[in-house]
Amino acid sequence: MSQELVFDDKLNSMKNLAWWLYIFHGASLVFSLGAFSWIPLIISYIKRGDAAGTFVYSHHSWQIRSFWWYLVWATVGFALFFTVIGIPLAFAVWFFAWVWKAYRLLKGLMDLNANKTMP
């Protein structure tokens, strides 16, 4: 006997929104290095309260934390860029920040599709 999750329309709508926010974050990361990720960030902040008590809430929090930590590391890379010795290190920080955010977006998207909560 297999168990199946049954979503009501509201939960399914919240899940679809979170899915589209992951896609928008990913497109922003690929096409603008994350410069336009503030748009889905604002939507996540607005819609996170509606998802309270569901697994989708953790996905909004995951996306919000991903944005802020990516911004921190991009800023560190920006500060390093202004030193002659730090320029190669700045590119390394930016590269690893990009890869880290891509990983978090992919992990979140896969876990959302599997109906799992995020840590």
Side-chain angles (χ1 to χ4, degrees):
M1 176 185 238
S2 68
Q3 292 182 346
E4 183 177 315
L5 286 176
V6 178
F7 293 140
D8 60 358
D9 289 337
K10 183 179 177 186
L11 183 58
N12 198 34
S13 174
M14 288 186 291
K15 182 180 172 185
N16 285 337
L17 175 64
W19 187 86
W20 281 108
L21 292 175
Y22 276 119
I23 297 300
F24 197 111
H25 274 291
S28 173
L29 187 65
V30 170
F31 295 114
S32 70
L33 299 177
F36 293 107
S37 282
W38 59 270
I39 297 168
L41 171 75
I42 291 170
I43 296 170
S44 284
Y45 270 119
I46 292 169
K47 293 296 188 176
R48 182 170 61 165
D50 295 344
T54 67
F55 73 96
V56 179
Y57 181 88
S58 67
H59 286 274
H60 286 297
S61 297
W62 179 262
Q63 291 176 17
I64 290 167
R65 285 192 315 266
S66 297
F67 172 86
W68 288 114
W69 279 110
Y70 180 72
L71 184 63
V72 165
W73 288 111
T75 304
V76 168
F78 186 73
L80 286 170
F81 190 76
F82 286 107
T83 64
V84 174
I85 297 172
I87 291 174
L89 188 57
F91 283 111
V93 167
W94 287 332
F95 173 77
F96 286 114
W98 192 93
V99 169
W100 174 82
K101 178 131 185 213
Y103 159 77
R104 284 183 62 99
L105 292 175
L106 290 171
K107 172 141 178 62
L109 194 56
M110 289 187 298
D111 285 356
L112 180 68
N113 285 333
N115 304 319
K116 296 180 182 176
T117 60
M118 298 308 295

